[in-house]
Amino acid sequence: MYLGFDISTQSVKAIVVNENLEKLHEATVNFDTDLTEFRTCNGVNRDERNPKIVTAPPLMWIKALDIVLEKLRLDGVIFEQILGISGAAQQHGSVYWKRNARHTLQNLDPRNFLHEEFAFAFSISHSPIWMDSSTIKFCTKLEEKIGGPEKLSKLTGSRAYERFTGSQISKIYHTRRETYNITERISLVSSFACSIFLGDYASIDYSDGSGMNLLDLREKFWSVECIDGITEPGSDLITKLGQPVPTETIQGNISPYFVERFGFNPECKILSFTGDNPSSFAGKSSNHNISK
């Protein structure tokens, strides 16, 4: 059996399928109705002073993952039989891990809920997401640095958009420098969710990474021009982003936390999570037998 997740704007959904992609189990957690303590509307928080600022708390996503696993267990899923885990997530959103968060990931205590373990793991408590449109001046700065929107598009796949991760990182770098400096790793929502199950920082995959205005599509690595365009030389952003990897990459085995708490097989593989749009595209052309 295989377990897949969808971390969308409004909910977390999990589905268990067999090798023929036949659905065996399904569970959903809706942010607005099931996690009211985060006070979201349609899964997001809008800044009352500036409605262009739209965020969501990573701890909400983590708590939803925890609850959806419990729902699957109550539905009769035997987690020991799960061979692999992957998922899709809303694109462009970014998660900021605080210094020493990797140690937290690698040393989770199965006696505690996930949201308790990660309570102090993030340098930014509310992650900017794809609905945010507060970064226009940082988009302009990036395009000017690269030589215009057409050149940026040829390099990264698109002109600068306010929701794209590069401009969001730029805003934090230039307006919240101390917060940026204590950030150890920057994940997309997809690689963030993958990291939870991996018990370590998961790499950003090429597909979701191409929606950041930072990935050189030909070199398949972060463009130094773009990195310097959103920050400045010496920002250490490439280190904070990590090495991008092909989307089909097996990132490792599941974290011992899930083995001890939920009974997963320690050999269960964690595959790269990616964006929801490329996942939809891949799903339309997928082979209906994934055992090969």
Side-chain angles (χ1 to χ4, degrees):
M1 296 193 298
Y2 303 89
L3 174 58
F5 291 90
D6 176 27
I7 300 93
S8 70
T9 308
Q10 299 178 351
S11 66
V12 166
K13 179 180 179 181
I15 185 171
V16 177
V17 300
N18 62 19
E19 63 184 22
N20 297 314
L21 299 183
E22 296 168 331
K23 183 174 68 176
L24 305 177
H25 303 272
E26 184 178 351
T28 302
V29 172
N30 181 278
F31 301 139
D32 290 1
T33 58
D34 296 325
L35 294 170
T36 56
E37 64 269 31
F38 293 100
R39 300 182 179 181
T40 57
C41 179
N42 296 320
V44 305
N45 299 122
R46 289 187 181 272
D47 192 304
E48 294 181 357
R49 297 162 297 179
N50 183 355
K52 291 185 176 182
I53 298 175
V54 185
T55 62
L59 281 178
M60 178 180 71
W61 297 327
I62 288 174
K63 197 168 186 178
L65 287 170
D66 206 327
I67 294 171
V68 86
L69 285 170
E70 291 289 359
K71 286 188 173 186
L72 289 175
R73 176 152 60 183
L74 291 173
D75 197 43
V77 175
I78 301 173
F79 290 117
E80 188 179 15
Q81 297 176 1
I82 301 294
L83 300 178
I85 297 173
S86 189
Q90 53 178 290
Q91 292 189 262
H92 312 304
S94 45
V95 177
Y96 299 79
W97 300 89
K98 190 186 295 184
R99 194 176 296 142
N100 296 322
R102 187 179 191 186
H103 181 268
T104 300
L105 275 166
Q106 294 174 336
N107 295 276
L108 298 174
D109 187 342
R111 294 171 297 181
N112 298 326
F113 293 116
L114 282 172
H115 69 277
E116 295 173 328
E117 288 293 286
F118 289 107
F120 304 104
F122 305 106
S123 55
I124 294 178
S125 61
H126 284 69
S127 291
I129 65 163
W130 66 273
M131 295 170 67
D132 187 279
S133 58
S134 65
T135 62
I136 184 62
K137 70 177 183 179
F138 302 103
C139 293
T140 302
K141 182 177 183 292
L142 174 59
E143 289 184 344
E144 289 176 350
K145 171 70 175 180
I146 299 303
E150 184 176 352
K151 187 174 179 182
L152 180 62
S153 182
K154 288 180 178 179
L155 181 63
T156 70
S158 61
R159 63 171 301 164
Y161 286 103
E162 292 166 292
R163 67 183 182 274
F164 274 32
T165 322
S167 298
Q168 297 291 341
I169 294 172
S170 185
K171 177 184 173 183
I172 290 166
Y173 180 83
H174 289 288
T175 65
R176 303 176 65 180
R177 185 67 59 86
E178 185 176 342
T179 298
Y180 176 87
N181 288 340
I182 66 168
T183 297
E184 182 173 82
R185 184 74 164 220
I186 300 173
S187 296
L188 296 179
V189 181
S190 57
S191 61
F192 148 80
C194 188
S195 300
I196 301 298
F197 289 98
L198 186 64
D200 203 347
Y201 291 139
S203 298
I204 293 172
D205 77 290
Y206 292 159
S207 186
D208 211 8
S210 66
M212 300 173 70
N213 278 141
L214 295 178
L215 188 70
D216 183 325
L217 298 184
R218 291 172 179 81
E219 298 296 328
K220 294 184 174 60
F221 194 71
W222 310 117
S223 162
V224 175
E225 270 190 292
C226 293
I227 294 292
D228 290 348
I230 67 166
T231 57
E232 56 192 4
S235 68
D236 201 33
L237 180 54
I238 288 179
T239 301
K240 293 177 189 289
L241 292 172
Q243 173 78 40
V245 297
T247 303
E248 67 272 17
T249 299
I250 296 175
Q251 302 241 7
N253 291 344
I254 195 167
S255 164
Y257 173 91
F258 295 95
V259 176
E260 296 180 40
R261 183 175 164 205
F262 291 98
F264 279 91
N265 188 318
E267 296 299 315
C268 176
K269 304 303 180 187
I270 308 300
L271 286 76
S272 297
F273 286 40
T274 191
D276 50 7
N277 290 320
S279 293
S280 297
F281 178 80
K284 289 182 180 297
S285 58
S286 64
N287 188 313
H288 289 286
N289 188 308
I290 55 178
S291 63
K292 298 177 182 180

